[in-house]
Amino acid sequence: MNNSDKIRKKLTYQRKNFWHVQPDDVHQQAFAFADGYKKFLNDCKTERETIYYLAELAKKEGFKNIDAQDGARKLYSFFRNKNAAFARLGKNPVSEGVNLIVSHIDAPRIDLKQNPLAEDGETKLGILKTHYYGGIKKYQWMSTPLALHGVFVTRKGKTVRITIGEDKNDPVFIMPDLLPHLAKNEQYSKKLGDAVTAGQMNVIFNSIPFPGDDDQEIKEAVKLNALNLLNKKYGITETDFLSAELELVPAGLARDAGFDGSMIAAYGQDDRVCAYTSWQALLSLTQDPERTAVVYLADKEEIGSESNTGAKSVFILDFIADLLAANGESSDSVTLRKTLIRSQILSADVNAAINPNYPGVHEKDNAVHLGYGVSVTKYTGQGGKSGSNDANAEFNAKVIDIFETAGVNWQTGTLGKVDEGGGGTIAKFMAQYGAEVIDCGPGLLGMHAMYELSSKADVYSTYKAYHTFFEKA
Ligand code: MN
Ligand code: MN
């Protein structure tokens, strides 16, 4: 190495390719970690399913309900079947601040309308009307197999969970797109975002009419047959749809992607990749950390973190107050406020990696590259950083230092070119408590598409980063 190369190596910031700099055994660890991650993605396609899955696992892993206040050090709280928080009490008092990683477990999807079932008068097909959830490109969801996940909660309070379309013997559901032969006026002449409207996103639900007497015409016989079949199978009536939460998601399993199997193609990686890696990071602690480690899984991020299960809700404050009490400390409002101010938070969410098909929307020096590790993102937002949590330099430097020291593959990355668009995360809501907050997560290709692409290198680096944050920050 000549002198200028030496100086360059010492003085310049270079993001490092995980596969290049990490040894073979770490490559193998990344592949092995991805297997558990894919299973998680397959079992947790909705926010509720994520909670059901972790509720079972948390008990197996020795976590105790925080409400019991029985001296346990590993604690959980589940909230309204859509939120969770897990903690491992630290050696230091909780009131000295916690290290918290927050991610979200909702993903863009197609919800059913509350009164969804109808029969098309002309075609005599049974349809389900939908209402999309989150930021989707509507055309992506047409003519592709969908599975129906969710719950009916009857007036008597009985919950009926359903999943249709994931088993290979299950039927799937299709919202049929327009054939290209007849798309000239309806679609090709329009802007991409207008070519499919919300009103055209109806699922074809069934087609066999209710069996009637020979010559008697039955009114809406196909819809009636649908209701009859639903009642036989699930014991529900049309009224039960009105209170149901039913979500259409891409049918099928998470898959390895790429000839070398180095990537993962799957639905809902935004942001279950951060949910899974933060949960695994908490499990990986072999002893009580110095500072209490908290994993918080929020809902409703994709629609602005609203509602009592979104990050704007009081749930996480309540959990941290309970942590203070569980550790034998005062949980009065002043102590809680001071605890939050002294806390350190990773807003764990995905970023947009440079897409070779659309390089123009990124600014390469400040963009995430797939396979180069977890991103440390100082700010998100749009325009002049509007709507962002612009992390403090002091905390940003600290996070970079602990990752670098631990040999974690990390990179800097903001979301696209300035004024190209933008987006936000939970970071700004957590920052309201006065804690240090920074965005930190892997890059994806095709975020919010039905099948998002991640790198096993980045998923594993994210897990290592979160582990390091819990142990060292
Ligand atoms: Mn997200
Ligand atoms: Mn998102």
Side-chain angles (χ1 to χ4, degrees):
M1 199 184 278
N2 64 35
N3 194 43
S4 65
D5 286 343
K6 270 187 216 153
I7 298 286
R8 184 177 292 109
K9 190 165 184 237
K10 191 173 163 194
L11 297 185
T12 59
Y13 158 70
Q14 303 280 357
R15 64 175 59 77
K16 296 180 187 113
N17 186 295
F18 176 93
W19 306 113
H20 184 62
V21 299
Q22 299 290 350
D24 281 352
D25 62 318
V26 178
H27 292 191
Q28 282 158 19
Q29 286 162 26
F31 271 74
F33 188 84
D35 289 339
Y37 172 50
K38 282 182 288 180
K39 182 178 181 332
F40 174 80
L41 289 173
N42 293 338
D43 288 342
C44 305
K45 283 199 165 177
T46 68
E47 64 281 26
R48 279 179 189 270
E49 287 170 359
T50 310
I51 294 304
Y52 299 146
Y53 182 87
L54 290 175
E56 290 218 345
L57 218 54
K59 284 181 199 129
K60 276 190 203 147
E61 294 290 345
F63 285 76
K64 297 278 169 58
N65 190 331
I66 198 164
D67 291 338
Q69 297 283 349
D70 61 358
R73 310 283 299 167
K74 291 160 78 177
L75 301 158
Y76 67 76
S77 179
F78 294 101
F79 189 54
R80 304 202 190 285
N81 292 314
K82 296 175 184 174
N83 260 178
F86 306 95
R88 182 150 180 182
L89 290 171
K91 292 171 187 156
N92 301 345
V94 173
S95 54
E96 287 184 13
V98 303
N99 286 356
L100 183 149
I101 303 178
V102 56
S103 59
H104 65 93
I105 54 174
D106 61 320
R109 60 180 192 248
I110 311 294
D111 287 343
L112 295 194
K113 282 187 177 177
Q114 289 330 111
N115 188 15
L117 193 58
E119 179 172 323
D120 179 64
E122 183 59 36
T123 61
K124 306 292 182 201
L125 291 169
I127 61 169
L128 291 175
K129 298 176 183 175
T130 69
H131 194 146
Y132 65 95
Y133 172 96
I136 62 159
K137 292 162 102 173
K138 298 186 187 80
Y139 68 86
Q140 294 179 337
W141 293 73
M142 306 302 281
S143 288
T144 186
L146 301 170
L148 189 62
H149 293 236
V151 293
F152 289 97
V153 179
T154 69
R155 286 163 58 205
K156 304 286 180 212
K158 190 174 141 221
T159 300
V160 182
R161 283 174 62 180
I162 66 158
T163 308
I164 309 168
E166 299 295 354
D167 188 277
K168 68 181 193 311
N169 298 315
D170 280 356
V172 293
F173 302 100
I174 297 281
M175 301 188 293
D177 198 2
L178 183 58
L179 67 168
H181 317 62
L182 300 177
K184 192 172 146 209
N185 297 320
E186 282 281 341
Q187 291 185 330
Y188 292 157
S189 61
K190 293 176 180 167
K191 287 190 196 152
L192 186 65
D194 300 331
V196 174
T197 65
Q200 288 162 339
M201 299 177 73
N202 297 314
V203 168
I204 308 300
F205 188 61
N206 70 317
S207 62
I208 301 177
F210 189 83
D213 304 331
D214 294 341
D215 49 1
Q216 188 193 347
E217 177 97 1
I218 300 174
K219 186 170 161 266
E220 295 197 325
V222 174
K223 176 180 170 180
L224 185 63
N225 204 32
L227 284 169
N228 191 41
L229 293 171
L230 285 163
N231 186 261
K232 274 188 185 156
K233 183 148 191 195
Y234 302 112
I236 54 147
T237 66
E238 188 169 30
T239 306
D240 293 322
F241 271 103
L242 307 184
S243 55
E245 292 182 347
L246 298 166
E247 310 175 5
L248 289 157
V249 298
L253 302 176
R255 307 281 299 267
D256 282 351
F259 185 59
D260 55 8
S262 62
M263 295 165 280
I264 296 167
Y267 165 72
Q269 299 197 70
D270 172 12
D271 183 30
R272 289 178 205 129
V273 64
C274 294
Y276 183 74
T277 48
S278 59
W279 162 250
Q280 287 296 328
L282 185 66
L283 292 189
S284 72
L285 298 173
T286 52
Q287 55 174 333
D288 290 347
E290 298 294 318
R291 287 163 67 88
T292 293
V294 182
V295 165
Y296 169 31
L297 308 180
D299 176 35
K300 298 286 195 289
E301 192 276 345
E302 297 294 357
I303 58 169
S305 295
E306 311 292 347
S307 98
N308 57 11
T309 58
K312 290 181 189 171
S313 151
V314 75
F315 167 69
I316 192 60
L317 301 187
D318 188 58
F319 182 74
I320 291 174
D322 286 349
L323 281 179
L324 285 161
N327 206 40
E329 299 172 62
S330 165
S331 61
D332 66 28
S333 64
V334 175
T335 310
L336 176 59
R337 195 171 71 232
K338 298 289 185 199
T339 302
L340 292 161
I341 286 173
R342 293 171 187 141
S343 290
Q344 305 179 107
I345 299 177
L346 295 186
S347 168
D349 209 341
V350 297
N351 204 320
I354 293 188
N355 183 335
N357 291 334
Y358 300 96
V361 302
H362 301 280
E363 192 268 284
K364 66 179 175 54
D365 291 336
N366 287 282
V368 178
H369 291 55
L370 205 74
Y372 285 72
V374 68
S375 173
V376 179
T377 301
K378 190 172 185 298
Y379 54 85
T380 59
Q382 50 192 305
K385 302 191 181 183
S386 172
S388 94
N389 161 62
D390 196 350
N392 295 313
E394 292 83 353
F395 187 53
N396 195 342
K398 179 178 181 176
V399 169
I400 288 174
D401 181 60
I402 60 163
F403 290 173
E404 184 71 26
T405 304
V408 173
N409 263 82
W410 66 276
Q411 57 185 320
T412 187
T414 48
L415 187 81
K417 264 184 193 165
V418 179
D419 287 340
E420 193 71 44
T425 65
I426 286 169
K428 63 179 175 181
F429 306 118
M430 304 309 288
Q432 289 173 358
Y433 306 133
E436 291 281 25
V437 186
I438 194 164
D439 280 291
C440 179
L444 299 179
L445 291 182
M447 191 200 298
H448 283 208
M450 305 185 66
Y451 304 98
E452 301 167 314
L453 198 62
S454 66
S455 161
K456 291 179 181 178
D458 299 334
V459 174
Y460 187 67
S461 298
T462 300
Y463 157 69
K464 294 302 276 184
Y466 294 168
H467 172 90
T468 304
F469 173 74
F470 281 147
E471 277 206 331
K472 307 285 187 197

